[in-house]
């Protein structure tokens, strides 16, 4: 178990609570880590910023403060997300003034549609095809679905927030 957890974190960092929870089912953890490396790796066809927009929106819509907070702490700055954008992803709308790039607002619309109906209606699909290629659209759909699964697991297992983790209330009050 320790060897598997070591592969899931940067060298010298202890495993986060979610990974310690997953390690209780080692075969599942091994299988998931391969897909997780794709979703967070360089082969994903989305940029880091686009990936984090989908992840933060998905986690917020799923009410998963744990996974949302991990991504805010670890990736939001690297992805160039401003405090206003993190707030919007948490409790705002794709039409908020911070979203000046049509691609980014479209990612939020697609993520919301997938969350709300597990589908994208024809009009939204046509609009997304104007901005994203087929590979990117498949990556968005599966990234959103993957993080729904992660959120379900983290919430169901009642994984405690990491030390000094931000809270939904922190951004809602901003």
């Amino acid at each position: 178990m320790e060897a598997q957890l070591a592969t899931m974190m940067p060298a010298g960092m202890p495993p986060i609570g979610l990974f310690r929870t997953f390690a209780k089912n080692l075969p599942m953890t091994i299988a998931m880590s391969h897909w997780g490396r794709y979703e967070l790796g360089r082969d994903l066809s989305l940029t880091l910023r686009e990936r984090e927009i989908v992840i933060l929106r998905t986690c917020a819509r799923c009410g998963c403060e744990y996974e949302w907070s991990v991504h805010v702490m670890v990736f939001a700055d690297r992805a160039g997300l401003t405090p206003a954008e993190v707030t919007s992803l948490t409790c705002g709308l794709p039409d908020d003034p911070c979203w000046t790039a049509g691609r980014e607002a479209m990612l939020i619309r697609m993520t919301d549609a997938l969350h709300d109906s597990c589908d994208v209606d024809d009009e939204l699909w046509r609009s997304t095809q104007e901005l994203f290629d087929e590979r990117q659209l498949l990556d968005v759909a599966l990234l959103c679905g993957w993080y729904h699964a992660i959120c379900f697991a983290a919430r169901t297992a009642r994984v405690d927030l990491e030390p000094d983790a931000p809270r939904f209330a922190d951004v809602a009050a901003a």
Side-chain angles (χ1 to χ4, degrees):
M1 187 183 317
E2 286 182 34
Q4 177 60 36
L5 287 171
T7 70
M8 298 169 75
M9 295 297 297
M13 286 187 67
I16 60 173
L18 183 69
F19 294 164
R20 291 192 313 272
T21 300
F22 285 169
K24 295 172 184 174
N25 182 340
L26 195 54
M28 178 197 74
T29 302
I30 292 167
M32 287 179 63
S33 67
H34 295 292
W35 186 249
R37 276 194 276 286
Y38 174 77
E39 294 290 12
L40 296 178
R42 297 188 195 289
D43 288 335
L44 190 75
S45 64
L46 304 172
T47 67
L48 169 66
R49 182 177 171 86
E50 291 168 341
R51 180 193 83 197
E52 289 306 309
I53 287 170
V54 172
I55 292 171
L56 287 175
R57 185 60 166 201
T58 299
C59 293
R61 293 293 311 272
C62 287
C64 187
E65 193 168 45
Y66 174 84
E67 190 65 15
W68 170 89
S69 71
V70 167
H71 279 265
V72 169
M73 287 190 307
V74 176
F75 296 109
D77 283 342
R78 287 189 223 172
L81 292 168
T82 67
E85 290 167 339
V86 171
T87 298
S88 178
L89 289 168
T90 306
C91 54
L93 300 169
D95 295 325
D96 288 344
C98 61
W99 302 114
T100 57
R103 249 176 102 89
E104 294 175 354
M106 190 62 68
L107 283 172
I108 298 165
R109 284 185 183 87
M110 186 171 175
T111 300
D112 285 352
L114 289 167
H115 178 82
D116 292 342
S117 66
C118 301
D119 196 4
V120 175
D121 67 35
D122 292 341
E123 181 180 336
L124 180 57
W125 185 249
R126 279 190 296 279
S127 296
T128 60
Q129 288 178 310
E130 293 173 12
L131 298 172
F132 298 93
D133 64 31
E134 189 172 0
R135 180 175 175 217
Q136 292 168 322
L137 291 170
L138 288 170
D139 273 342
V140 171
L142 290 179
L143 181 65
C144 185
W146 174 253
Y147 274 87
H148 268 85
I150 297 296
C151 290
F152 295 164
R155 289 197 65 185
T156 302
R158 308 294 193 263
V159 179
D160 292 328
L161 292 178
E162 298 296 324
D164 301 318
R167 307 292 307 243
F168 284 150
D170 297 336
V171 299

